Amino acid sequence: MTRRERMTDRDLFFNYCLWAYEPTAPWQDKWRSANLLFHSFEQAGADDRMFDLVERLRETVGPSMTVWGVKWAGGKIGWEYYFYDYRRRERERSAAKVLQGMAPLVRSTVRLNENHHYFMFSLDIDDALVAGDRSVDEIHMYIGNPGSDVSSGICYAVTPTGARLENFYFFFDARRHREDILNKIACSAQIDQGAVELGEIYRPELRDCRTICLANKKRTDCIYFSGITVDQLIFFLNWLDYPRPLRSLVERNRSRLDHLLYDVGFDYRMEGDRLRIEKSGYYGIF
């Protein structure tokens, strides 16, 4: 199924944290970022019910309020959806509401405790989920990290048997905190500064952005560049050798996508004396 959507005067401009930004160019008659998600469905041969799920979520939490991530790892495309509500325990976009809105297309065997102070949660999405071959059996729940000098969050994986710690996230202003960013990257068990230059992680082609997030995960570290231009997105997709059709769509339609800002990230660790990128992704909203 081929599907493309154009901007309207009702569209909102949010980054992958659902933080608002101003468009960088006139937006009239141009594309929504969701077209990049839809195109990834097409290239992966995804079940058409993936499109149905998008509409269910728009009806449940509102248009432009779901963040999508296209993931590239091990030569395969994957997806993750993120749902924010910074009102925490006074939230309206709760996990319970989202799971109810996804039913009966999507089944779930796990619930979040709505007394927890989470401000965001995410779900891994695939064909098996929308086809009914599996249920939601894990929710990634994000809560704040009081006491940090910068905006920070902690992620837990919640399953029917309980919660386990997953990741820590730290957000830095890309211009004001450059020294802190370098220090945070360097203070890691995942890299060897004797073998790797920090510029291989703190990419000069991407660092001119709005916000940089650094994450510590179980087996990798991760860096996210938020608020990059379409030209920087094209660099990112080519540098990490995304499937040619995904790259070509952005390159051919640059003028339809230049009003938006984008968010990208990659997980990394050392493999011998080389930096290995385990997974990467790019993000938008629908």
Side-chain angles (χ1 to χ4, degrees):
M1 178 187 294
T2 299
R3 177 172 172 179
R4 301 291 181 265
E5 297 179 346
R6 296 184 183 274
M7 301 290 297
T8 73
D9 57 7
R10 296 185 299 276
D11 278 286
L12 303 172
F13 293 85
F14 290 129
N15 72 1
Y16 74 152
C17 290
L18 223 62
W19 297 345
Y21 69 87
E22 293 296 320
T24 59
W27 54 263
Q28 290 80 359
D29 205 35
K30 293 185 179 179
W31 280 9
R32 291 172 169 168
S33 69
N35 290 341
L36 304 186
L37 173 68
F38 300 154
H39 184 247
S40 74
F41 292 164
E42 297 156 18
Q43 293 306 310
D47 192 302
D48 283 350
R49 283 169 286 192
M50 295 286 269
F51 293 96
D52 297 335
L53 181 58
V54 168
E55 292 311 313
R56 283 178 178 268
L57 291 171
R58 281 173 166 166
E59 292 170 4
T60 301
V61 299
S64 303
M65 301 307 291
T66 300
V67 174
W68 56 261
V70 174
K71 306 300 178 71
W72 179 238
K76 294 182 179 180
I77 297 172
W79 302 277
E80 189 170 355
Y81 292 169
Y82 307 79
F83 306 90
Y84 289 84
D85 196 325
Y86 291 103
R87 291 166 289 193
R88 292 173 168 78
R89 291 178 67 186
E90 282 70 50
R91 66 184 70 87
E92 295 180 2
R93 293 184 292 275
S94 66
K97 181 176 182 177
V98 168
L99 293 173
Q100 183 178 19
M102 294 168 70
L105 179 63
V106 170
R107 297 176 289 107
S108 177
T109 59
V110 63
R111 296 287 185 271
L112 293 190
N113 183 338
E114 297 299 340
N115 287 320
H116 287 156
H117 291 257
Y118 72 86
F119 63 86
M120 188 263 275
F121 66 95
S122 69
L123 305 172
D124 297 312
I125 306 296
D126 56 25
D127 275 2
L129 188 67
V130 297
D133 295 332
R134 76 171 182 91
S135 61
V136 174
D137 57 6
E138 182 176 80
I139 300 176
H140 308 287
M141 179 182 71
Y142 297 73
I143 64 172
N145 188 16
S148 174
D149 291 336
V150 295
S151 179
S152 178
I154 306 171
C155 178
Y156 294 88
V158 180
T159 69
T161 60
R164 69 178 187 277
L165 181 64
E166 283 196 301
N167 312 322
F168 290 90
Y169 296 85
F170 302 88
F171 293 83
F172 299 88
D173 183 284
R175 294 181 180 178
R176 292 190 295 110
H177 295 150
R178 292 199 171 188
E179 195 66 30
D180 292 333
I181 291 166
L182 287 168
N183 289 337
K184 176 63 178 167
I185 294 171
C187 291
S188 170
Q190 298 293 354
I191 64 168
D192 178 358
Q193 274 193 267
V196 172
E197 294 289 336
L198 294 186
E200 293 185 47
I201 299 164
Y202 186 44
R203 298 290 309 195
E205 303 90 345
L206 299 171
R207 67 179 66 162
D208 184 13
C209 60
R210 303 289 179 89
T211 305
I212 287 179
C213 175
L214 299 173
N216 303 115
K217 303 184 178 183
K218 282 188 175 181
R219 297 179 179 85
T220 65
D221 282 350
C222 182
I223 185 168
Y224 301 88
F225 300 86
S226 178
I228 65 172
T229 66
V230 66
D231 290 323
Q232 289 172 300
L233 175 63
I234 290 170
F235 162 79
F236 177 82
L237 297 176
N238 282 311
W239 169 53
L240 291 178
D241 198 26
Y242 274 72
R244 169 48 62 185
L246 298 186
R247 292 183 272 160
S248 296
L249 181 85
V250 182
E251 291 169 347
R252 292 195 316 268
N253 295 284
R254 181 192 176 282
S255 63
R256 293 187 175 101
L257 295 164
D258 64 353
H259 58 299
L260 298 169
L261 291 176
Y262 301 88
D263 312 294
V264 299
F266 58 89
D267 292 11
Y268 59 88
R269 64 176 177 83
M270 295 299 297
E271 187 172 76
D273 60 355
R274 293 188 176 185
L275 188 74
R276 175 181 174 85
I277 296 177
E278 295 273 286
K279 180 177 70 172
S280 64
Y282 56 99
Y283 304 83
I285 60 173
F286 64 72

